[in-house]
């Protein structure tokens, strides 16, 4: 995907996902087993409760002090559905994936045994047009990670 088509995809993300319901602060963090209340989970809740998805960009995410590549692992399914489009836009803006969010994006969009509930919820939440955009972002990730078709760039 060229810079121009990445830009178009970013604009389509903005347009297509703008009406997703924003989770309340208490709905942002993931619910873990027992008394699970990690430092990272609390940091995710505190930081992301201050921002609407459309306010997130490379500058705002850079201000997050925790592991930028792991934030979606500490979000509830509802928060992932809401913030995922912003993370996809940030990924498209950063050719070198400087925030290491590509693995998080791929993980939440993978139908694996440990995140099947999230995968199914996202599949039911997003429209057909939104799923096409997600597919385009994943195709871009695939090209960036293996531009020659044989493996990750050196």
């Amino acid at each position: 995907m060229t810079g121009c088509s990445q830009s178009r995809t970013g604009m389509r993300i903005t347009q297509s996902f703008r009406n997703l319901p924003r989770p309340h602060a208490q709905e942002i963090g993931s619910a873990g087993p027992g008394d699970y209340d990690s430092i990272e989970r609390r940091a995710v809740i505190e930081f992301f409760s201050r921002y609407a998805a459309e306010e997130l960009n490379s500058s705002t995410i850079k201000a997050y002090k925790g592991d930028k590549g792991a934030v979606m692992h500490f979000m509830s399914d509802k928060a992932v559905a809401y913030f995922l489009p912003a993370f996809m836009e940030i990924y498209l803006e950063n050719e070198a994936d400087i925030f290491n969010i590509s693995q998080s994006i791929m993980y939440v969009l993978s139908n694996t045994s440990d995140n099947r509930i999230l995968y199914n919820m996202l599949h039911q939440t997003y429209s057909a047009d939104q799923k096409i955009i997600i597919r385009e972002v994943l195709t871009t990730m695939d090209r960036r990670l293996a531009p020659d078709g044989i493996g990750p760039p050196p």
Side-chain angles (χ1 to χ4, degrees):
M1 192 179 280
T2 66
C4 185
S5 62
Q6 288 175 18
S7 176
R8 280 195 307 268
T9 300
M11 289 187 303
R12 288 179 52 222
I13 291 169
T14 301
Q15 293 298 311
S16 183
F17 290 90
R18 71 173 171 227
N19 294 321
L20 293 174
R22 183 177 180 179
H24 299 286
Q26 66 270 20
E27 298 174 311
I28 291 176
S30 61
D35 294 326
Y36 177 75
D37 195 25
S38 71
I39 294 169
E40 193 76 27
R41 178 184 172 275
R42 288 191 305 262
V44 164
I45 294 168
E46 191 272 324
F47 184 84
F48 288 91
S49 64
R50 293 184 288 175
Y51 295 98
E54 58 272 6
E55 296 174 302
L56 290 180
N57 56 40
S58 294
S59 297
T60 53
I61 203 71
K62 188 175 184 179
Y64 179 69
K65 301 295 183 211
D67 184 348
K68 294 158 186 65
V71 295
M72 286 192 281
H73 296 284
F74 293 95
M75 288 182 170
S76 68
D77 293 353
K78 189 174 191 176
V80 168
Y82 177 71
F83 287 109
L84 177 61
F87 282 105
M88 292 188 304
E89 283 192 77
I90 292 166
Y91 174 79
L92 291 174
E93 291 172 4
N94 294 282
E95 187 81 26
D97 192 19
I98 59 174
F99 303 119
N100 299 314
I101 60 173
S102 60
Q103 289 181 17
S104 250
I105 293 170
M106 287 188 282
Y107 172 77
V108 301
L109 294 173
S110 298
N111 187 8
T112 60
S113 60
D114 56 334
N115 79 329
R116 186 155 290 132
I117 293 170
L118 171 61
Y119 176 85
N120 289 334
M121 190 274 303
L122 292 174
H123 188 72
Q124 293 169 5
T125 300
Y126 296 141
S127 70
D129 288 341
Q130 291 168 330
K131 291 173 192 172
I132 289 169
I133 294 168
I134 290 169
R135 202 170 304 123
E136 290 172 10
V137 172
L138 290 173
T139 300
T140 298
M141 288 180 172
D142 185 51
R143 286 189 188 126
R144 285 184 183 176
L145 293 172
D148 57 5
I150 53 175

